[in-house]
Amino acid sequence: MNLDLKNYTLFLADNALILGQRLGEWCGHGPVLEQDIALTNISLDHLGQSRMLLQYAAKQVGNGATEDSLAFFRNEGEFRNLLITELPNNDWAYTLAKHFLFDTFNFFQYEFLMNSKDETIQAIARKAIKEIAYHAQFSAEWIIRMGDGTEESHQRVQNAIDELWMYTGEMFVADSSSEAMTKAAVAPDYALLKEQWQEKVSQVLEIATLVKPEEGWMQKGGREGKHTEHMGYILAEMQHLPRTYPTAKW
Amino acid sequence: MDKPNDNWKIWEVFIRSKNGLSHKHVGSLHAPDADMAIKNARDVYTRRSEGISIWVVPSEAVTASSPDEKEPLFTPADDKVYRHPTFYEIPSEIGHM
Amino acid sequence: MQIKFVKYPRFIAMGEVQLEKRFQDYLDGENKIEPKDWMPDAYRKTLIRQISQHAHSEVVGMLPEANWISRAPSLRRKVALLAKVQDEAGHGLYLYSAAETLGIDRSELVDDLLSGKAKYSSIFNYPTVSWADMGAIGWLVDGAAIANQVMLCRTSYGPYARAMVRICKEESFHQRQGYEIMLSLANGTAEQKQMAQDALNRWWWPSLMMFGPTDDLSPNSAQSMKWKIKRKSNDELRQEFIDKTVPQAEFLGLTVPDKDLKWNEEKQGYDYGEIDWEEFYNVVKGNGPCNKQRLADRVKAHEAGAWVREAANAYAAKEAKRKADKGQAA
């Protein structure tokens, strides 16, 4: 087994899984039925992508591993998702800002992955890119709507962007597995994605009449399994049934 | 204080299920503008790939033919009275026809 | 334009009574009523009440199941449940949209729900305490709902009937999803089977109550049947549901919690025990285990969403103005 490829596959899978899990929390609680349905669709997209990736990771792991054994029986330190994906939803502004910052990154990431040297990742990326482009469009539009909406919405979304900013640096700093995958042309050069991301984010924030935060100090750790306080709660909830009844089939 | 303006306006949704067919009215939804109405329509009315093309129209922009206030609906037949035998006056001495 | 020709004289002469008679004749001919057609006020009011209650039930009904999205025990189950709860939002939306064709705005209907004035199906005031409840709800609650909804596909009001056709198409996946969960549990470990039996015990009677009071105590039913809004009586629907569901429980190897349940050869249906109507009326009145919690969740979502909806309107207005200004400049 190529350990770097496995780690990298899990990085992609876990981002999608944790985002999908978090977005699922909105289901039934959205600001209006139409948007409740929209967010659930996005959650389903993420979960669908994570399943394909986890199935691929499971194949690499072997020993009877499955998408479910990887989702439900790994410990916190084995999850490789970015910290921004595990942050709570808070309000609509915070959730959409989180997604906007991530989706924009994800779009450029998957744009590269459509030509990844790894055939499975390439195939998954080609399937997922339409969804991912839609997510990026959706969240960017909401940032603009809120930024250029009312005074309250402007303030809320500006605060959210400011608070979330320190979780964006980690997107562009590769861990050793990602680096190896970049060398093998399986993964993009993350440092290079930063420029495209900056440009798009600046453009949207400007249209939204929002202020782009200063670079500042950045959090990191997700890619190496070092997570925020929130991650433990996510896993406690997500994993509790399969772990309580480890021999059960559902 | 005024009630906040948080009520989105209503749109009628039309979907073309496949090329060769015309758009068909499927229902309505709420959205603040046309962009979001289209996106909402996609999420609400095409979750099971029911369509390939969507129209949204603000409901207020639809002009519908309207029966007069007191006029009952059941008019299709009434429009075409010539189809009814009673439309034709037959002298009573001729009897039943 | 102000030019108007004189109305067709015989309609001017036609009074309410004649109109209602023609309306009834029209219904009796199995014709559908459409939004702009004349209809008696009481018919309109009944429909608004029934369709909006139905819509509220779909939306409140999301909550007990949404509880388990984050805890679904496999990824396949998670996406199925999520898609199912999303469908319920869609169904609520189709139904609000049908109610709106009767000349009432969704926001008014939602206000009535949130103030506690409007009712929704009492079944959703029961708690979902185990994963097996996702199975039982899909199988029993959706099963009972489908019995009702299939009938409503033929209801006399066009937009309502069309919404129901759409809903019925989607609901069959829901019931299968639920039954499949029950199957896995019933064929699983001893603990899982116990979980399934426990869920059946808790959901069986409330599911039977979903069809409403017995026919002799259901005062509005007769008029609704006459108007062909309802096409079958509460007791008929309940009987159909029981007859269909009991064999499904047997197939699962689970026991229906009714010691009086017995096949009646003569009527070709099951006899069943007395329903606890005191419990039913108490839950309707607000004394169910989750009435307050469910409504509080809806109120919270609506209030927390106000600034979001407002912001989107404000942005739309600004954009419209920008477009208009640009048009003027050009």
Side-chain angles (χ1 to χ4, degrees):
Chain A
M1 177 178 61
N2 178 337
L3 195 69
D4 291 325
L5 179 62
K6 184 206 79 174
N7 284 343
Y8 184 67
T9 309
L10 285 174
F11 164 72
L12 297 174
D14 291 343
N15 282 328
L17 175 62
I18 301 301
L19 276 175
Q21 171 80 5
R22 267 285 188 232
L23 266 192
E25 293 172 19
W26 270 106
C27 186
H29 306 274
V32 63
L33 273 180
E34 283 83 350
Q35 291 301 302
D36 204 302
I37 294 170
L39 272 205
T40 304
N41 258 359
I42 296 175
S43 173
L44 284 167
D45 287 345
H46 283 302
L47 290 171
Q49 291 161 17
S50 83
R51 289 182 69 189
M52 291 189 286
L53 290 158
L54 285 173
Q55 283 161 14
Y56 182 41
K59 215 166 106 188
Q60 297 172 48
V61 172
N63 284 326
T66 63
E67 58 174 36
D68 285 335
S69 71
L70 291 176
F72 298 100
F73 291 93
R74 268 184 304 151
N75 291 332
E76 187 174 322
E78 298 165 89
F79 276 82
R80 308 184 71 87
N81 54 289
L82 297 169
L83 302 179
I84 196 168
T85 64
E86 67 203 50
L87 300 177
N89 289 330
N90 294 345
D91 64 358
W92 188 257
Y94 197 84
T95 301
L96 269 297
K98 198 166 68 164
H99 279 267
F100 163 62
L101 297 170
F102 177 84
D103 293 344
T104 306
F105 158 78
N106 209 29
F107 175 74
F108 292 119
Q109 172 177 246
Y110 271 75
E111 214 178 33
F112 177 93
L113 294 176
M114 285 168 66
N115 294 308
S116 169
K117 284 278 183 262
D118 183 277
E119 275 175 26
T120 310
I121 290 179
Q122 183 193 93
I124 293 171
R126 287 183 180 194
K127 191 163 179 295
I129 191 76
K130 272 190 221 141
E131 294 170 354
I132 288 168
Y134 181 79
H135 303 164
Q137 183 83 25
F138 179 89
S139 53
E141 282 177 9
W142 265 109
I143 296 304
I144 293 169
R145 239 180 229 118
M146 288 188 283
D148 195 17
T150 61
E151 246 174 71
E152 179 176 8
S153 66
H154 179 90
Q155 203 50 56
R156 280 180 188 256
V157 73
Q158 181 69 61
N159 289 348
I161 296 276
D162 292 347
E163 275 184 46
L164 288 162
W165 198 252
M166 66 176 176
Y167 294 98
T168 59
E170 188 190 21
M171 296 169 180
F172 312 105
V173 185
D175 60 297
S176 62
S177 289
S178 291
E179 245 166 41
M181 288 298 102
T182 302
K183 280 202 189 97
V186 169
D189 184 331
Y190 282 93
L192 291 183
L193 286 190
K194 189 171 182 180
E195 207 175 311
Q196 291 174 295
W197 181 84
Q198 286 272 9
E199 197 187 317
K200 196 62 158 178
V201 166
S202 306
Q203 190 195 345
V204 172
L205 291 180
E206 196 187 318
I207 299 171
T209 71
L210 294 166
V211 180
K212 191 174 146 203
E214 298 293 322
E215 272 303 272
W217 178 252
M218 293 290 170
Q219 301 298 323
K220 61 179 197 306
R223 286 174 184 257
E224 280 124 20
K226 297 188 191 95
H227 292 279
T228 65
E229 271 187 358
H230 306 289
M231 189 66 177
Y233 290 97
I234 294 179
L235 296 186
E237 210 169 320
M238 186 172 85
Q239 298 181 332
H240 113 266
L241 263 184
R243 291 213 181 210
T244 309
Y245 306 99
T247 59
K249 289 203 171 55
W250 302 94
Chain B
M1 208 178 90
D2 285 344
K3 210 173 174 267
N5 172 28
D6 71 332
N7 197 13
W8 290 355
K9 70 177 183 177
I10 185 163
W11 303 72
E12 300 299 324
V13 181
F14 300 80
I15 294 196
R16 183 203 299 286
S17 56
K18 60 175 187 184
N19 275 2
L21 297 177
S22 39
H23 286 76
K24 191 177 155 208
H25 184 243
V26 293
S28 63
L29 51 73
H30 289 259
D33 52 43
D35 277 350
M36 207 202 279
I38 286 276
K39 284 202 168 59
N40 288 348
R42 164 194 177 269
D43 289 331
V44 173
Y45 288 104
T46 67
R47 290 199 305 290
R48 290 171 170 79
S49 330
E50 291 96 334
I52 53 156
S53 163
I54 302 174
W55 289 351
V56 290
V57 181
S59 303
E60 64 198 12
V62 175
T63 308
S65 64
S66 171
D68 277 337
E69 237 185 296
K70 281 269 173 172
E71 178 172 318
L73 47 142
F74 346 99
T75 47
D78 290 341
D79 286 340
K80 301 175 180 67
V81 275
Y82 48 84
R83 285 189 180 143
H84 290 287
T86 49
F87 182 69
Y88 305 95
E89 280 188 44
I90 306 284
S92 57
E93 46 269 42
I94 298 205
H96 182 73
M97 187 181 244
Chain C
M1 225 166 297
Q2 289 305 316
I3 302 165
K4 211 168 188 185
F5 289 91
V6 180
K7 283 187 232 170
Y8 212 59
R10 70 193 167 102
F11 289 131
I12 293 174
M14 198 179 281
E16 278 301 294
V17 177
Q18 282 160 293
L19 282 166
E20 286 196 22
K21 163 93 176 55
R22 290 199 65 177
F23 181 78
Q24 189 61 51
D25 289 347
Y26 190 72
L27 290 178
D28 291 342
E30 289 299 326
N31 296 298
K32 296 270 186 259
I33 306 299
E34 293 296 340
K36 290 233 153 187
D37 293 338
W38 183 89
M39 61 186 87
D41 269 353
Y43 177 84
R44 183 185 300 273
K45 279 188 189 131
T46 302
L47 275 173
I48 291 177
R49 197 192 61 229
Q50 182 175 331
I51 301 174
S52 61
Q53 271 183 18
H54 196 159
H56 299 329
S57 302
E58 295 282 356
V59 174
V60 176
M62 295 169 75
L63 298 168
E65 291 180 284
N67 269 342
W68 281 88
I69 291 169
S70 63
R71 292 178 289 170
S74 76
L75 294 179
R76 178 169 174 271
R77 293 284 181 225
K78 191 188 289 289
V79 292
L81 182 61
L82 196 48
K84 191 208 157 185
V85 182
Q86 182 194 38
D87 272 349
E88 278 153 17
H91 297 174
L93 202 148
Y94 305 157
L95 287 160
Y96 282 128
S97 148
E100 285 182 301
T101 63
L102 290 158
I104 188 157
D105 195 84
R106 192 204 294 177
S107 63
E108 285 178 67
L109 300 172
V110 170
D111 285 347
D112 283 349
L113 169 70
L114 300 181
S115 70
K117 192 176 145 203
K119 297 269 177 267
Y120 56 87
S121 180
S122 277
I123 191 90
F124 303 117
N125 291 319
Y126 289 88
T128 49
V129 296
S130 92
W131 170 250
D133 292 5
M134 298 304 100
I137 288 183
W139 172 39
L140 300 173
V141 177
D142 290 327
I146 288 170
N148 199 32
Q149 286 163 348
V150 167
M151 163 190 86
L152 288 172
C153 290
R154 296 189 298 123
T155 195
S156 59
Y157 186 58
Y160 191 21
R162 289 192 288 276
M164 291 319 304
V165 168
R166 228 188 151 81
I167 289 172
C168 282
K169 265 192 217 156
E170 301 183 357
E171 282 281 344
S172 68
F173 136 65
H174 295 183
Q175 205 191 5
R176 293 166 74 104
Q177 180 255 174
Y179 196 70
E180 201 194 77
I181 291 174
M182 293 305 273
L183 261 177
S184 302
L185 295 174
N187 296 322
T189 65
E191 282 159 318
Q192 284 178 302
K193 187 159 187 185
Q194 185 50 48
M195 220 183 256
Q197 180 64 54
D198 172 62
L200 173 57
N201 293 349
R202 283 180 294 108
W203 291 95
W204 176 255
W205 291 105
S207 299
L208 297 190
M209 293 176 197
M210 281 176 73
F211 295 97
T214 51
D215 292 349
D216 50 328
L217 292 172
S218 181
N220 299 323
S221 276
Q223 183 60 65
S224 280
M225 299 272 277
K226 199 173 159 218
W227 277 332
K228 300 187 189 290
I229 295 175
K230 239 172 116 81
R231 314 295 307 241
K232 287 177 180 174
S233 79
N234 294 354
D235 286 332
E236 271 177 89
L237 287 168
R238 188 162 19 238
Q239 185 70 51
E240 279 177 21
F241 171 73
I242 293 171
D243 294 344
K244 216 168 84 185
T245 310
V246 171
Q248 294 168 350
E250 282 165 1
F251 184 81
L252 291 171
L254 300 178
T255 311
V256 174
D258 177 359
K259 60 179 171 28
D260 298 319
L261 190 77
K262 206 172 66 227
W263 177 253
N264 181 330
E265 189 59 36
E266 201 181 323
K267 77 170 183 188
Q268 286 294 301
Y270 285 91
D271 291 333
Y272 53 96
E274 184 70 29
I275 292 171
D276 184 353
W277 294 112
E278 201 190 332
E279 175 180 320
F280 173 78
Y281 286 112
N282 264 293
V283 181
V284 171
K285 260 190 286 179
N287 298 330
C290 301
N291 296 56
K292 291 194 180 61
Q293 181 187 333
R294 299 284 185 251
L295 210 52
D297 278 352
R298 286 313 313 156
V299 170
K300 193 175 154 206
H302 188 75
E303 286 177 355
W307 72 265
V308 180
R309 299 188 299 273
E310 234 179 303
N313 269 343
Y315 176 76
K318 284 186 198 176
E319 275 288 278
K321 187 169 180 303
R322 280 192 282 258
K323 242 184 219 162
D325 290 351
K326 215 171 153 190
Q328 253 164 21

